[in-house]
Amino acid sequence: MDTGPILFFDSGVGGLSVVAPTRALLPHAPIVYAADSAGFPYGVKSEAEIAARVPALLGRLVERYRPRLVVIACNTASTIALPSVRAALDVPVVGTVPAIRPAAALSRSRTIGVLGTEATVRQAYVDDLAARFAGDCTVLRHGSAALVELAEDKLAGQPTDPARYRAVLAGLFDQPGGDAIDVIVNACTHFPLVEAELAAAAPAGIRFVDGGPGIARRVAFLTQGQAWPAGEPRHRAVFTRLGERERALAPALARYGIATVEPL
Ligand code: DGL
């Protein structure tokens, strides 16, 4: 029997928004949550830096934890490095795709906002998704490093100022035609972690979608029929840099069932 865990990878805590729906579907699956805290944040890095960093790091993580499946729970890393990670690893790899398709299915105004990191929103991959799945919609984008920081701060137990969420949303709504947006794609895994704060700062009736539930279903499908170790699963988090900031995340990790924190 394969006792291997599912390994989730992100630059920081964002991937927890993918862990949550996956745990709901697969409560017996052991999880390794890997965060590249030494490389955080990814969203302001160049394509070349991300493309060099992510496959090498995942190679080390797979060697150490022998997962049965890897989830790149990060839009930035997925939109840039998914093909090279798949080529480098001999385990199945599930990536994160901006949820433009479900957003297009929901939008009545046919104007969609895509909120991601700066690196994600400039990818041709996003143009491609918009053309394929939202051809009759206006797709407005905004890249925000501030929102990534807000999510990290919230999970580290720090208070976050509502004005900062309004400033992030202004990056979408203040664009020409932005006032018609009725659906926002959280195209960074950090953003569902602050969805309540975003919704409170947004005009009434705006809906938010993200890729987490779809990824969870994909993971459940790919592991269908596989056995999981008996008993309560043991989850662990591994950080590429384990300092004070990362240790402050322990209570948040515990809320996701992750009790052990270790350095890579
Ligand atoms: N959580 C990541 C994403 O989904 C990246 C955040 C960052 O490191 O900038 O894009």
Side-chain angles (χ1 to χ4, degrees):
M1 170 178 126
D2 185 354
T3 56
I6 300 173
L7 189 140
F8 290 78
F9 176 83
D10 184 31
S11 58
V13 293
L16 293 173
S17 71
V18 185
V19 166
T22 308
R23 280 185 72 208
L25 286 185
L26 299 171
H28 301 294
I31 285 166
V32 173
Y33 186 80
D36 183 12
S37 44
F40 174 88
Y42 278 3
V44 296
K45 288 194 160 45
S46 69
E47 280 72 0
E49 279 175 284
I50 293 165
R53 190 169 182 94
V54 173
L57 207 45
L58 275 165
R60 280 175 65 198
L61 286 160
V62 165
E63 216 174 273
R64 174 140 157 197
Y65 294 104
R66 306 268 168 216
R68 66 181 76 191
L69 186 137
V70 168
V71 180
I72 304 185
C74 173
N75 288 263
T76 311
S78 297
T79 52
I80 294 169
L82 185 59
S84 49
V85 169
R86 284 200 169 126
L89 301 182
D90 56 6
V91 286
V93 181
V94 177
T96 308
V97 172
I100 290 176
R101 187 183 198 163
L106 272 181
S107 175
R108 293 190 175 175
S109 68
R110 312 313 287 154
T111 303
I112 294 167
V114 176
L115 212 47
T117 64
E118 284 139 298
T120 294
V121 298
R122 69 171 177 255
Q123 296 309 311
Y125 192 79
V126 178
D127 300 324
D128 198 57
L129 288 173
R132 278 168 62 202
F133 301 121
D136 65 333
C137 295
T138 301
V139 180
L140 301 174
R141 309 169 192 194
H142 178 59
S144 176
L147 196 51
V148 175
E149 285 291 345
L150 284 164
E152 290 278 329
D153 288 351
K154 178 184 170 183
L155 267 74
Q158 289 167 28
T160 56
D161 180 357
R164 295 187 64 197
Y165 296 97
R166 286 197 292 274
V168 170
L169 289 168
L172 279 179
F173 289 103
D174 290 357
Q175 291 183 36
D179 50 2
I181 291 171
D182 64 346
V183 181
I184 292 177
V185 180
N186 277 328
C188 167
T189 52
H190 277 74
F191 300 170
L193 302 174
V194 287
E195 191 172 306
E197 289 81 353
L198 277 173
I206 300 289
R207 301 174 77 176
F208 292 86
V209 295
D210 68 81
I215 297 168
R217 285 193 298 274
R218 180 80 191 138
V219 172
F221 173 77
L222 290 173
T223 56
Q224 216 168 28
Q226 294 182 11
W228 300 102
E232 217 22 52
R234 289 193 165 190
H235 308 314
R236 59 185 59 234
V238 53
F239 288 90
T240 54
R241 192 197 82 106
L242 185 51
E244 216 175 295
R245 200 181 154 80
E246 291 71 32
R247 295 205 182 274
L249 296 167
L253 291 166
R255 289 197 292 276
Y256 290 82
I258 301 169
T260 308
V261 178
E262 61 198 21
L264 180 63

